[in-house]
Amino acid sequence: DILICTEVLPKDPKWAWDPTNPLSGTSKFYVRVAEELAKLGHTVEVEWDGATLKHNGVCYIGRNYIGGYDLTLDCNFQGPTRLCTGGSHFQWTSFYNRPDTCVGEGYDRIFLISDFIHSTLAPHLKAPAVVMELATDAVVVTGPSLPGRPKTCCYTSSPDRGGTFLQSIWPEVEAATGYRLEMSPYGEAFSDRQMRDLYERSQFWVYPAIGTDSILSCLEAQAAGCIPF
């Protein structure tokens, strides 16, 4: 049995599997990893703040679990003081400036999403660290075909994480550089395919990073040949 522990998540089950829902990259990770583990024959439970239900082989449960798991995976969440007894305790993080919590303290192993994060957290790591093979800085396109794309920059997060700030300064940026800004809608239907199309027609993914410390969307942008800035 595997338990995946997460940060606070919405009670509406739609967040988990509706492809038109504007999920964060981290939420997608929780769901996809759980479903892939279930396909491999594991019994997987994901804690969340909604009612108990089952979907695509994964059981979503409340936060009042009893324990007895073979493996507990904490995602962007630190809980060694409340981890179930027995079994292995792993931590996964997409945070890159949180040496106070996401450094593997109390865990058997910590999984990181990029070499950059590993280098940033290296002095603070308290558990053996593994950089995930399919989500490293190697996804950066070495020779992106920028001349074939319009002079467009994209922003793909919430207004409070930098969207409002970018909108306030972009008229001046566009006047000086000729680059227009295109933002993904927030809180509205916007599918994975639409997000990918936005990345692929943009030259740069811009992110002021004034309100977050998680960068999964940066990796998605790089994978589509969009240069992070």
Side-chain angles (χ1 to χ4, degrees), residues 4-199:
I4 297 180
C5 304
T6 69
E7 297 177 291
V8 176
L9 295 172
K11 294 182 180 180
D12 183 353
K14 180 181 178 181
W15 73 270
W17 44 79
D18 185 344
T20 66
N21 196 34
L23 289 175
S24 69
T26 308
S27 298
K28 293 177 186 176
F29 173 84
Y30 302 152
V31 176
R32 290 174 181 171
V33 166
E35 292 182 353
E36 289 301 313
L37 288 171
K39 289 178 184 177
L40 293 173
H42 298 289
T43 300
V44 185
E45 296 182 347
V46 176
E47 66 164 11
W48 72 332
D49 296 310
T52 298
L53 55 87
K54 192 165 186 177
H55 184 82
N56 283 353
V58 178
C59 185
Y60 294 83
I61 63 172
R63 298 183 185 273
N64 56 345
Y65 52 86
I66 299 174
Y69 296 94
D70 298 308
L71 186 149
T72 301
L73 174 64
D74 279 353
C75 298
N76 276 353
F77 181 92
Q78 185 182 35
T81 57
R82 66 171 188 82
L83 285 173
C84 314
T85 58
S88 300
H89 301 156
F90 293 168
Q91 185 182 38
W92 173 92
T93 183
S94 62
F95 291 144
Y96 61 91
N97 61 357
R98 289 279 294 277
D100 56 328
T101 58
C102 292
V103 293
E105 185 172 6
Y107 293 90
D108 299 306
R109 189 172 298 274
I110 181 171
F111 294 95
L112 307 173
I113 67 168
S114 79
D115 295 321
F116 170 73
I117 291 179
H118 185 272
S119 65
T120 302
L121 293 178
H124 311 284
L125 292 174
K126 295 179 172 60
V130 175
V131 176
M132 297 173 62
E133 181 179 353
L134 298 180
T136 70
D137 302 301
V139 299
V140 178
V141 178
T142 55
S145 180
L146 296 186
R149 303 185 181 197
K151 295 187 72 173
T152 300
C153 297
C154 67
Y155 176 77
T156 57
S157 190
S158 61
D160 62 302
R161 290 182 172 180
T164 302
F165 170 74
L166 285 175
Q167 285 181 312
S168 70
I169 68 167
W170 208 262
E172 184 177 349
V173 173
E174 185 170 357
T177 66
Y179 278 87
R180 60 183 292 269
L181 176 67
E182 188 170 350
M183 302 174 64
S184 61
Y186 191 75
E188 303 175 21
F190 200 67
S191 68
D192 285 348
R193 181 65 260 179
Q194 289 174 297
M195 186 70 79
R196 177 81 181 190
D197 289 343
L198 174 56
Y199 290 141

